[in-house]
Structure formats: structure tokens, C-alpha cells
Amino acid sequence: MSPAAAVLFGFVLSASATVSAQQARAGAAPLVPPFSEGRPGADLPRGWQPLLLGSSKQPTSYRLVEDEGTVVLRARAEGAASGLIVDVKFDIGGASYVQFRWKIGGLIDGADNRVASKEDSPVRIVLGFAGDKSKFTFGQKASALLAKSATGRDFPYAQLIYVWSNSLPVGTVVPNPHTKRVQMIVAASGNAGVGKWQTITRNLREDFVRAFGEEPGQLSEVGVMTDTDNTGATADGWYGDIRFLASKP
């Protein structure tokens, strides 16, 4: 992602979907509307919204498809960067594990999440958190105002992003090269598993504390993004349902 894209993808403190930790544990109401409940070629499940990163950015293409008997989200980026996002309001204390499924068609040649000019990823799971924004530095406040001016949406207090890296070890914390309020964690790496579905389970609370050095606030947004705007490459990614669990399966 370019500097503008990195800033513009961190939005949403207002919440439109409220789910309790008890509901998440019991499975009574999914926190995030499942892609699997949609129909191939149909609109996205209720609550998901396109997240464009400014008029200068070519948007990534997203559509629901059937894959191995399940409806999933397919993304294709051709020198593009945009995401999909759903607003939530959720305390992860009772369900601190996040589980998601994803698949990629291949790595992005030359991508490196540590370098601003190469910061692309074939798949991302993006999680925004509320918090005390009075702690923002002058530069962070300026970035937040820029984001709101461009999109009409608020910047979250903190954003944790799970990425598929070309070479960094799984579990590596990668500071976003544009802002300290966004931290990335490598959830998959290298060619192992390319072209195959992977199920990833992460302790979200522990990852947040490692990345930011503090306890997480309320979860305020969940998003996905496939982007190649820096490298200009073409990337294909697939996303399954995103779940929050009380314990590791």
C-alpha cells in the first residue's frame, strides 16, 4: 500500500452491528456476516461495504464465488488497492481468538511489507480497535484528518493486520512503514500452501499486546484487502468466513 492507502484503510469508530461476547461464544449470531451465506455472483452479505482508498486508486475486484462446495469471496488486484469492511462493536475479552480461511494464487514478486514502496499483500485480514485518540501525536492526528477528509470516515485508534508475506517468518510483527497506529503480523509466509486453502487461528489479544504494547480496546471494524498498487502486479486471493472464538480449537 502507498502512504495514502495505508492511512485511508484505517477507518470506522462508529458501530452498526453489536454482538456480545456471549453470542460469539455460543455461535448464536456471527460477529462478521459470513461469505458462505451468500450466493455466487450475488451481492455481498448484509453489512459488508466497499472501502475505496481515494479517487486515484484503481479498486480491487471482489465477488462471491463457489469454491470446493462453499461460497467464498474472490479478490483480484491488477495494480489496485481497495478493501471490504464491516462495522462491529465487540469486546474481545470473551472471544479473543480470531479464525479465518484464505487462499492465494501466488506470491507478489518484489513485495516487502517492511518497505513503503513495496508494501503489497495478496491477502489481508484487517482489524480496527477503538481507544483513546487523545494519545495521538500531531502527525497521527494529521493522518486521521486526512483520512476523514478523503473518505468521510474516522480513523480507528489502532489497526492490526494479518498478512501473507513473501519470506518473513510466521508471527513476525511488521510495523507499518507509514504510521505506528497500524501494525502487521505475518500469518502465512512463502510458497508453502500457495493455491490451497489455509485455516489460520490467532490469539488476537496476545498479538495486539505484542504489536502495540497495551491491551486492546473494543473491536470496531473487520475488513479484508488484496492490494498490488505499489508493485503494479496482479494478485488473486480468496477469503472464507471470519470467526471469533473463546478458545483455540
Side-chain angles (χ1 to χ4, degrees), residues 182-217:
V182 178
Q183 299 283 316
M184 294 171 281
I185 290 186
V186 177
S189 182
N191 281 305
V194 167
K196 299 178 181 178
W197 280 102
Q198 291 195 6
T199 299
I200 308 292
T201 304
R202 301 288 309 184
N203 187 315
L204 180 55
R205 178 196 162 273
E206 289 185 0
D207 283 343
F208 188 96
V209 171
R210 282 201 302 128
F212 291 98
E214 60 182 288
E215 292 290 334

PDB file of all heavy atoms in Angstrom, residues 182-217:
ATOM      1  N   VAL A 182      -0.787   1.465  12.861  1.00  0.00           N
ATOM      2  CA  VAL A 182      -1.083   0.249  12.106  1.00  0.00           C
ATOM      3  C   VAL A 182       0.110  -0.692  12.244  1.00  0.00           C
ATOM      4  O   VAL A 182       1.241  -0.309  11.972  1.00  0.00           O
ATOM      5  CB  VAL A 182      -1.338   0.543  10.615  1.00  0.00           C
ATOM      6  CG1 VAL A 182      -1.597  -0.755   9.849  1.00  0.00           C
ATOM      7  CG2 VAL A 182      -2.511   1.511  10.442  1.00  0.00           C
ATOM      8  N   GLN A 183      -0.160  -1.903  12.719  1.00  0.00           N
ATOM      9  CA  GLN A 183       0.878  -2.923  12.850  1.00  0.00           C
ATOM     10  C   GLN A 183       0.417  -4.182  12.120  1.00  0.00           C
ATOM     11  O   GLN A 183      -0.776  -4.531  12.151  1.00  0.00           O
ATOM     12  CB  GLN A 183       1.143  -3.243  14.322  1.00  0.00           C
ATOM     13  CG  GLN A 183       1.623  -2.051  15.148  1.00  0.00           C
ATOM     14  CD  GLN A 183       3.087  -1.726  14.891  1.00  0.00           C
ATOM     15  OE1 GLN A 183       3.932  -2.608  14.828  1.00  0.00           O
ATOM     16  NE2 GLN A 183       3.382  -0.441  14.730  1.00  0.00           N
ATOM     17  N   MET A 184       1.365  -4.857  11.473  1.00  0.00           N
ATOM     18  CA  MET A 184       1.053  -6.078  10.728  1.00  0.00           C
ATOM     19  C   MET A 184       1.676  -7.285  11.415  1.00  0.00           C
ATOM     20  O   MET A 184       2.728  -7.166  12.035  1.00  0.00           O
ATOM     21  CB  MET A 184       1.567  -5.968   9.297  1.00  0.00           C
ATOM     22  CG  MET A 184       0.870  -4.906   8.472  1.00  0.00           C
ATOM     23  SD  MET A 184       1.671  -4.613   6.862  1.00  0.00           S
ATOM     24  CE  MET A 184       3.051  -3.563   7.367  1.00  0.00           C
ATOM     25  N   ILE A 185       1.020  -8.418  11.278  1.00  0.00           N
ATOM     26  CA  ILE A 185       1.557  -9.677  11.776  1.00  0.00           C
ATOM     27  C   ILE A 185       1.497 -10.700  10.649  1.00  0.00           C
ATOM     28  O   ILE A 185       0.464 -10.846   9.976  1.00  0.00           O
ATOM     29  CB  ILE A 185       0.794 -10.172  13.011  1.00  0.00           C
ATOM     30  CG1 ILE A 185       1.107  -9.262  14.205  1.00  0.00           C
ATOM     31  CG2 ILE A 185       1.143 -11.621  13.336  1.00  0.00           C
ATOM     32  CD1 ILE A 185       0.544  -9.706  15.524  1.00  0.00           C
ATOM     33  N   VAL A 186       2.607 -11.384  10.435  1.00  0.00           N
ATOM     34  CA  VAL A 186       2.678 -12.396   9.381  1.00  0.00           C
ATOM     35  C   VAL A 186       1.922 -13.640   9.842  1.00  0.00           C
ATOM     36  O   VAL A 186       2.273 -14.261  10.849  1.00  0.00           O
ATOM     37  CB  VAL A 186       4.137 -12.739   9.052  1.00  0.00           C
ATOM     38  CG1 VAL A 186       4.195 -13.846   8.006  1.00  0.00           C
ATOM     39  CG2 VAL A 186       4.889 -11.495   8.563  1.00  0.00           C
ATOM     40  N   ALA A 187       0.863 -14.002   9.106  1.00  0.00           N
ATOM     41  CA  ALA A 187       0.065 -15.177   9.440  1.00  0.00           C
ATOM     42  C   ALA A 187       0.344 -16.348   8.509  1.00  0.00           C
ATOM     43  O   ALA A 187      -0.004 -17.486   8.813  1.00  0.00           O
ATOM     44  CB  ALA A 187      -1.421 -14.839   9.405  1.00  0.00           C
ATOM     45  N   ALA A 188       0.971 -16.072   7.359  1.00  0.00           N
ATOM     46  CA  ALA A 188       1.401 -17.114   6.426  1.00  0.00           C
ATOM     47  C   ALA A 188       2.585 -16.549   5.655  1.00  0.00           C
ATOM     48  O   ALA A 188       2.711 -15.327   5.494  1.00  0.00           O
ATOM     49  CB  ALA A 188       0.275 -17.520   5.478  1.00  0.00           C
ATOM     50  N   SER A 189       3.449 -17.443   5.169  1.00  0.00           N
ATOM     51  CA  SER A 189       4.680 -16.967   4.542  1.00  0.00           C
ATOM     52  C   SER A 189       5.168 -17.932   3.473  1.00  0.00           C
ATOM     53  O   SER A 189       5.048 -19.153   3.616  1.00  0.00           O
ATOM     54  CB  SER A 189       5.777 -16.790   5.605  1.00  0.00           C
ATOM     55  OG  SER A 189       6.964 -16.278   5.024  1.00  0.00           O
ATOM     56  N   GLY A 190       5.726 -17.357   2.397  1.00  0.00           N
ATOM     57  CA  GLY A 190       6.380 -18.148   1.382  1.00  0.00           C
ATOM     58  C   GLY A 190       5.429 -18.923   0.489  1.00  0.00           C
ATOM     59  O   GLY A 190       4.208 -18.748   0.515  1.00  0.00           O
ATOM     60  N   ASN A 191       6.017 -19.804  -0.314  1.00  0.00           N
ATOM     61  CA  ASN A 191       5.252 -20.563  -1.298  1.00  0.00           C
ATOM     62  C   ASN A 191       4.499 -21.748  -0.707  1.00  0.00           C
ATOM     63  O   ASN A 191       3.619 -22.301  -1.360  1.00  0.00           O
ATOM     64  CB  ASN A 191       6.190 -21.080  -2.396  1.00  0.00           C
ATOM     65  CG  ASN A 191       6.533 -20.006  -3.406  1.00  0.00           C
ATOM     66  OD1 ASN A 191       5.654 -19.396  -4.009  1.00  0.00           O
ATOM     67  ND2 ASN A 191       7.823 -19.755  -3.595  1.00  0.00           N
ATOM     68  N   ALA A 192       4.846 -22.147   0.503  1.00  0.00           N
ATOM     69  CA  ALA A 192       4.159 -23.286   1.121  1.00  0.00           C
ATOM     70  C   ALA A 192       2.674 -22.968   1.276  1.00  0.00           C
ATOM     71  O   ALA A 192       2.295 -21.973   1.884  1.00  0.00           O
ATOM     72  CB  ALA A 192       4.774 -23.597   2.482  1.00  0.00           C
ATOM     73  N   GLY A 193       1.844 -23.798   0.698  1.00  0.00           N
ATOM     74  CA  GLY A 193       0.409 -23.593   0.818  1.00  0.00           C
ATOM     75  C   GLY A 193      -0.207 -22.755  -0.277  1.00  0.00           C
ATOM     76  O   GLY A 193      -1.433 -22.571  -0.296  1.00  0.00           O
ATOM     77  N   VAL A 194       0.599 -22.207  -1.196  1.00  0.00           N
ATOM     78  CA  VAL A 194       0.041 -21.426  -2.297  1.00  0.00           C
ATOM     79  C   VAL A 194      -0.907 -22.297  -3.111  1.00  0.00           C
ATOM     80  O   VAL A 194      -0.596 -23.445  -3.432  1.00  0.00           O
ATOM     81  CB  VAL A 194       1.162 -20.865  -3.194  1.00  0.00           C
ATOM     82  CG1 VAL A 194       0.589 -20.321  -4.504  1.00  0.00           C
ATOM     83  CG2 VAL A 194       1.919 -19.760  -2.471  1.00  0.00           C
ATOM     84  N   GLY A 195      -2.067 -21.755  -3.434  1.00  0.00           N
ATOM     85  CA  GLY A 195      -3.059 -22.495  -4.209  1.00  0.00           C
ATOM     86  C   GLY A 195      -3.925 -23.422  -3.394  1.00  0.00           C
ATOM     87  O   GLY A 195      -4.800 -24.094  -3.949  1.00  0.00           O
ATOM     88  N   LYS A 196      -3.719 -23.466  -2.068  1.00  0.00           N
ATOM     89  CA  LYS A 196      -4.506 -24.329  -1.195  1.00  0.00           C
ATOM     90  C   LYS A 196      -5.116 -23.495  -0.077  1.00  0.00           C
ATOM     91  O   LYS A 196      -4.527 -22.529   0.395  1.00  0.00           O
ATOM     92  CB  LYS A 196      -3.630 -25.426  -0.581  1.00  0.00           C
ATOM     93  CG  LYS A 196      -2.983 -26.347  -1.610  1.00  0.00           C
ATOM     94  CD  LYS A 196      -2.099 -27.380  -0.925  1.00  0.00           C
ATOM     95  CE  LYS A 196      -1.425 -28.295  -1.937  1.00  0.00           C
ATOM     96  NZ  LYS A 196      -0.530 -29.280  -1.282  1.00  0.00           N
ATOM     97  N   TRP A 197      -6.286 -23.904   0.361  1.00  0.00           N
ATOM     98  CA  TRP A 197      -6.919 -23.204   1.472  1.00  0.00           C
ATOM     99  C   TRP A 197      -6.127 -23.420   2.761  1.00  0.00           C
ATOM    100  O   TRP A 197      -5.701 -24.535   3.058  1.00  0.00           O
ATOM    101  CB  TRP A 197      -8.345 -23.709   1.670  1.00  0.00           C
ATOM    102  CG  TRP A 197      -9.308 -23.102   0.699  1.00  0.00           C
ATOM    103  CD1 TRP A 197      -9.817 -23.679  -0.431  1.00  0.00           C
ATOM    104  CD2 TRP A 197      -9.864 -21.788   0.767  1.00  0.00           C
ATOM    105  NE1 TRP A 197     -10.651 -22.800  -1.066  1.00  0.00           N
ATOM    106  CE2 TRP A 197     -10.702 -21.628  -0.357  1.00  0.00           C
ATOM    107  CE3 TRP A 197      -9.725 -20.728   1.670  1.00  0.00           C
ATOM    108  CZ2 TRP A 197     -11.405 -20.457  -0.604  1.00  0.00           C
ATOM    109  CZ3 TRP A 197     -10.428 -19.558   1.423  1.00  0.00           C
ATOM    110  CH2 TRP A 197     -11.261 -19.426   0.308  1.00  0.00           C
ATOM    111  N   GLN A 198      -5.945 -22.346   3.498  1.00  0.00           N
ATOM    112  CA  GLN A 198      -5.326 -22.406   4.818  1.00  0.00           C
ATOM    113  C   GLN A 198      -6.320 -21.892   5.850  1.00  0.00           C
ATOM    114  O   GLN A 198      -7.002 -20.889   5.620  1.00  0.00           O
ATOM    115  CB  GLN A 198      -4.063 -21.550   4.873  1.00  0.00           C
ATOM    116  CG  GLN A 198      -2.910 -22.063   4.053  1.00  0.00           C
ATOM    117  CD  GLN A 198      -1.607 -21.375   4.430  1.00  0.00           C
ATOM    118  OE1 GLN A 198      -1.539 -20.591   5.368  1.00  0.00           O
ATOM    119  NE2 GLN A 198      -0.557 -21.689   3.689  1.00  0.00           N
ATOM    120  N   THR A 199      -6.413 -22.588   6.962  1.00  0.00           N
ATOM    121  CA  THR A 199      -7.193 -22.108   8.107  1.00  0.00           C
ATOM    122  C   THR A 199      -6.219 -21.596   9.152  1.00  0.00           C
ATOM    123  O   THR A 199      -5.361 -22.333   9.634  1.00  0.00           O
ATOM    124  CB  THR A 199      -8.063 -23.233   8.696  1.00  0.00           C
ATOM    125  OG1 THR A 199      -8.985 -23.690   7.698  1.00  0.00           O
ATOM    126  CG2 THR A 199      -8.848 -22.722   9.902  1.00  0.00           C
ATOM    127  N   ILE A 200      -6.356 -20.315   9.480  1.00  0.00           N
ATOM    128  CA  ILE A 200      -5.447 -19.647  10.421  1.00  0.00           C
ATOM    129  C   ILE A 200      -6.203 -19.323  11.699  1.00  0.00           C
ATOM    130  O   ILE A 200      -7.300 -18.747  11.648  1.00  0.00           O
ATOM    131  CB  ILE A 200      -4.888 -18.346   9.812  1.00  0.00           C
ATOM    132  CG1 ILE A 200      -4.278 -18.579   8.428  1.00  0.00           C
ATOM    133  CG2 ILE A 200      -3.897 -17.697  10.769  1.00  0.00           C
ATOM    134  CD1 ILE A 200      -3.030 -19.399   8.421  1.00  0.00           C
ATOM    135  N   THR A 201      -5.648 -19.673  12.837  1.00  0.00           N
ATOM    136  CA  THR A 201      -6.205 -19.291  14.129  1.00  0.00           C
ATOM    137  C   THR A 201      -5.137 -18.526  14.906  1.00  0.00           C
ATOM    138  O   THR A 201      -4.028 -19.031  15.101  1.00  0.00           O
ATOM    139  CB  THR A 201      -6.654 -20.517  14.945  1.00  0.00           C
ATOM    140  OG1 THR A 201      -7.589 -21.286  14.174  1.00  0.00           O
ATOM    141  CG2 THR A 201      -7.318 -20.082  16.249  1.00  0.00           C
ATOM    142  N   ARG A 202      -5.467 -17.329  15.331  1.00  0.00           N
ATOM    143  CA  ARG A 202      -4.518 -16.486  16.061  1.00  0.00           C
ATOM    144  C   ARG A 202      -5.151 -15.995  17.357  1.00  0.00           C
ATOM    145  O   ARG A 202      -6.363 -15.728  17.414  1.00  0.00           O
ATOM    146  CB  ARG A 202      -4.128 -15.257  15.228  1.00  0.00           C
ATOM    147  CG  ARG A 202      -3.485 -15.534  13.894  1.00  0.00           C
ATOM    148  CD  ARG A 202      -2.075 -16.052  13.993  1.00  0.00           C
ATOM    149  NE  ARG A 202      -1.219 -15.238  14.842  1.00  0.00           N
ATOM    150  CZ  ARG A 202       0.088 -15.463  15.006  1.00  0.00           C
ATOM    151  NH1 ARG A 202       0.670 -16.495  14.395  1.00  0.00           N
ATOM    152  NH2 ARG A 202       0.818 -14.687  15.790  1.00  0.00           N
ATOM    153  N   ASN A 203      -4.314 -15.874  18.403  1.00  0.00           N
ATOM    154  CA  ASN A 203      -4.762 -15.257  19.641  1.00  0.00           C
ATOM    155  C   ASN A 203      -4.692 -13.752  19.435  1.00  0.00           C
ATOM    156  O   ASN A 203      -3.618 -13.144  19.498  1.00  0.00           O
ATOM    157  CB  ASN A 203      -3.872 -15.686  20.814  1.00  0.00           C
ATOM    158  CG  ASN A 203      -4.411 -15.206  22.146  1.00  0.00           C
ATOM    159  OD1 ASN A 203      -4.828 -14.055  22.293  1.00  0.00           O
ATOM    160  ND2 ASN A 203      -4.395 -16.077  23.145  1.00  0.00           N
ATOM    161  N   LEU A 204      -5.830 -13.160  19.148  1.00  0.00           N
ATOM    162  CA  LEU A 204      -5.883 -11.748  18.772  1.00  0.00           C
ATOM    163  C   LEU A 204      -5.414 -10.843  19.902  1.00  0.00           C
ATOM    164  O   LEU A 204      -4.678  -9.878  19.662  1.00  0.00           O
ATOM    165  CB  LEU A 204      -7.312 -11.392  18.353  1.00  0.00           C
ATOM    166  CG  LEU A 204      -7.579  -9.955  17.930  1.00  0.00           C
ATOM    167  CD1 LEU A 204      -6.649  -9.514  16.807  1.00  0.00           C
ATOM    168  CD2 LEU A 204      -9.047  -9.801  17.518  1.00  0.00           C
ATOM    169  N   ARG A 205      -5.812 -11.154  21.116  1.00  0.00           N
ATOM    170  CA  ARG A 205      -5.388 -10.318  22.238  1.00  0.00           C
ATOM    171  C   ARG A 205      -3.870 -10.329  22.383  1.00  0.00           C
ATOM    172  O   ARG A 205      -3.234  -9.281  22.515  1.00  0.00           O
ATOM    173  CB  ARG A 205      -6.035 -10.793  23.536  1.00  0.00           C
ATOM    174  CG  ARG A 205      -5.587  -9.973  24.746  1.00  0.00           C
ATOM    175  CD  ARG A 205      -5.893 -10.640  26.073  1.00  0.00           C
ATOM    176  NE  ARG A 205      -5.084 -10.026  27.111  1.00  0.00           N
ATOM    177  CZ  ARG A 205      -3.854 -10.409  27.411  1.00  0.00           C
ATOM    178  NH1 ARG A 205      -3.278 -11.406  26.743  1.00  0.00           N
ATOM    179  NH2 ARG A 205      -3.180  -9.788  28.369  1.00  0.00           N
ATOM    180  N   GLU A 206      -3.269 -11.527  22.354  1.00  0.00           N
ATOM    181  CA  GLU A 206      -1.815 -11.619  22.501  1.00  0.00           C
ATOM    182  C   GLU A 206      -1.097 -10.918  21.358  1.00  0.00           C
ATOM    183  O   GLU A 206      -0.083 -10.245  21.569  1.00  0.00           O
ATOM    184  CB  GLU A 206      -1.392 -13.085  22.584  1.00  0.00           C
ATOM    185  CG  GLU A 206      -1.776 -13.762  23.890  1.00  0.00           C
ATOM    186  CD  GLU A 206      -1.243 -15.178  23.975  1.00  0.00           C
ATOM    187  OE1 GLU A 206      -0.576 -15.631  23.009  1.00  0.00           O
ATOM    188  OE2 GLU A 206      -1.484 -15.832  25.009  1.00  0.00           O
ATOM    189  N   ASP A 207      -1.609 -11.068  20.147  1.00  0.00           N
ATOM    190  CA  ASP A 207      -0.980 -10.408  19.003  1.00  0.00           C
ATOM    191  C   ASP A 207      -1.059  -8.892  19.137  1.00  0.00           C
ATOM    192  O   ASP A 207      -0.094  -8.176  18.824  1.00  0.00           O
ATOM    193  CB  ASP A 207      -1.652 -10.849  17.696  1.00  0.00           C
ATOM    194  CG  ASP A 207      -1.221 -12.237  17.258  1.00  0.00           C
ATOM    195  OD1 ASP A 207      -0.182 -12.735  17.754  1.00  0.00           O
ATOM    196  OD2 ASP A 207      -1.907 -12.822  16.398  1.00  0.00           O
ATOM    197  N   PHE A 208      -2.184  -8.388  19.608  1.00  0.00           N
ATOM    198  CA  PHE A 208      -2.333  -6.942  19.777  1.00  0.00           C
ATOM    199  C   PHE A 208      -1.348  -6.421  20.817  1.00  0.00           C
ATOM    200  O   PHE A 208      -0.688  -5.394  20.600  1.00  0.00           O
ATOM    201  CB  PHE A 208      -3.769  -6.599  20.185  1.00  0.00           C
ATOM    202  CG  PHE A 208      -4.059  -5.114  20.205  1.00  0.00           C
ATOM    203  CD1 PHE A 208      -4.645  -4.499  19.118  1.00  0.00           C
ATOM    204  CD2 PHE A 208      -3.738  -4.342  21.317  1.00  0.00           C
ATOM    205  CE1 PHE A 208      -4.909  -3.129  19.128  1.00  0.00           C
ATOM    206  CE2 PHE A 208      -3.998  -2.980  21.341  1.00  0.00           C
ATOM    207  CZ  PHE A 208      -4.582  -2.369  20.240  1.00  0.00           C
ATOM    208  N   VAL A 209      -1.248  -7.125  21.939  1.00  0.00           N
ATOM    209  CA  VAL A 209      -0.327  -6.683  23.003  1.00  0.00           C
ATOM    210  C   VAL A 209       1.115  -6.703  22.501  1.00  0.00           C
ATOM    211  O   VAL A 209       1.899  -5.786  22.775  1.00  0.00           O
ATOM    212  CB  VAL A 209      -0.496  -7.557  24.254  1.00  0.00           C
ATOM    213  CG1 VAL A 209       0.594  -7.250  25.281  1.00  0.00           C
ATOM    214  CG2 VAL A 209      -1.873  -7.344  24.874  1.00  0.00           C
ATOM    215  N   ARG A 210       1.494  -7.734  21.744  1.00  0.00           N
ATOM    216  CA  ARG A 210       2.855  -7.787  21.191  1.00  0.00           C
ATOM    217  C   ARG A 210       3.105  -6.633  20.227  1.00  0.00           C
ATOM    218  O   ARG A 210       4.195  -6.065  20.195  1.00  0.00           O
ATOM    219  CB  ARG A 210       3.075  -9.112  20.449  1.00  0.00           C
ATOM    220  CG  ARG A 210       3.331 -10.291  21.326  1.00  0.00           C
ATOM    221  CD  ARG A 210       4.023 -11.397  20.558  1.00  0.00           C
ATOM    222  NE  ARG A 210       3.250 -11.822  19.393  1.00  0.00           N
ATOM    223  CZ  ARG A 210       3.742 -11.897  18.162  1.00  0.00           C
ATOM    224  NH1 ARG A 210       5.005 -11.567  17.922  1.00  0.00           N
ATOM    225  NH2 ARG A 210       2.989 -12.311  17.170  1.00  0.00           N
ATOM    226  N   ALA A 211       2.102  -6.292  19.446  1.00  0.00           N
ATOM    227  CA  ALA A 211       2.282  -5.281  18.414  1.00  0.00           C
ATOM    228  C   ALA A 211       2.247  -3.866  18.965  1.00  0.00           C
ATOM    229  O   ALA A 211       3.004  -2.987  18.508  1.00  0.00           O
ATOM    230  CB  ALA A 211       1.209  -5.440  17.338  1.00  0.00           C
ATOM    231  N   PHE A 212       1.382  -3.602  19.951  1.00  0.00           N
ATOM    232  CA  PHE A 212       1.169  -2.230  20.421  1.00  0.00           C
ATOM    233  C   PHE A 212       1.621  -1.983  21.856  1.00  0.00           C
ATOM    234  O   PHE A 212       1.662  -0.831  22.296  1.00  0.00           O
ATOM    235  CB  PHE A 212      -0.308  -1.852  20.287  1.00  0.00           C
ATOM    236  CG  PHE A 212      -0.778  -1.711  18.862  1.00  0.00           C
ATOM    237  CD1 PHE A 212      -1.445  -2.752  18.239  1.00  0.00           C
ATOM    238  CD2 PHE A 212      -0.542  -0.550  18.140  1.00  0.00           C
ATOM    239  CE1 PHE A 212      -1.876  -2.636  16.923  1.00  0.00           C
ATOM    240  CE2 PHE A 212      -0.965  -0.425  16.826  1.00  0.00           C
ATOM    241  CZ  PHE A 212      -1.634  -1.475  16.213  1.00  0.00           C
ATOM    242  N   GLY A 213       1.934  -3.053  22.610  1.00  0.00           N
ATOM    243  CA  GLY A 213       2.397  -2.859  23.974  1.00  0.00           C
ATOM    244  C   GLY A 213       1.325  -2.430  24.942  1.00  0.00           C
ATOM    245  O   GLY A 213       1.627  -1.859  25.997  1.00  0.00           O
ATOM    246  N   GLU A 214       0.063  -2.699  24.631  1.00  0.00           N
ATOM    247  CA  GLU A 214      -1.054  -2.348  25.515  1.00  0.00           C
ATOM    248  C   GLU A 214      -2.212  -3.287  25.233  1.00  0.00           C
ATOM    249  O   GLU A 214      -2.213  -4.013  24.238  1.00  0.00           O
ATOM    250  CB  GLU A 214      -1.488  -0.894  25.292  1.00  0.00           C
ATOM    251  CG  GLU A 214      -1.957  -0.604  23.875  1.00  0.00           C
ATOM    252  CD  GLU A 214      -2.337   0.854  23.684  1.00  0.00           C
ATOM    253  OE1 GLU A 214      -3.381   1.254  24.215  1.00  0.00           O
ATOM    254  OE2 GLU A 214      -1.580   1.575  23.000  1.00  0.00           O
ATOM    255  N   GLU A 215      -3.191  -3.287  26.132  1.00  0.00           N
ATOM    256  CA  GLU A 215      -4.360  -4.123  25.935  1.00  0.00           C
ATOM    257  C   GLU A 215      -5.259  -3.537  24.844  1.00  0.00           C
ATOM    258  O   GLU A 215      -5.346  -2.320  24.697  1.00  0.00           O
ATOM    259  CB  GLU A 215      -5.162  -4.241  27.233  1.00  0.00           C
ATOM    260  CG  GLU A 215      -4.454  -5.031  28.323  1.00  0.00           C
ATOM    261  CD  GLU A 215      -4.362  -6.517  28.007  1.00  0.00           C
ATOM    262  OE1 GLU A 215      -5.227  -7.029  27.256  1.00  0.00           O
ATOM    263  OE2 GLU A 215      -3.429  -7.171  28.504  1.00  0.00           O
ATOM    264  N   PRO A 216      -5.932  -4.405  24.072  1.00  0.00           N
ATOM    265  CA  PRO A 216      -6.807  -3.889  23.020  1.00  0.00           C
ATOM    266  C   PRO A 216      -8.083  -3.294  23.574  1.00  0.00           C
ATOM    267  O   PRO A 216      -8.618  -3.749  24.589  1.00  0.00           O
ATOM    268  CB  PRO A 216      -7.115  -5.140  22.179  1.00  0.00           C
ATOM    269  CG  PRO A 216      -6.965  -6.277  23.138  1.00  0.00           C
ATOM    270  CD  PRO A 216      -5.865  -5.872  24.083  1.00  0.00           C
ATOM    271  N   GLY A 217      -8.579  -2.264  22.909  1.00  0.00           N
ATOM    272  CA  GLY A 217      -9.903  -1.736  23.198  1.00  0.00           C
ATOM    273  C   GLY A 217     -10.950  -2.535  22.462  1.00  0.00           C
ATOM    274  O   GLY A 217     -10.712  -3.660  22.012  1.00  0.00           O
TER     275      GLY A 217
END
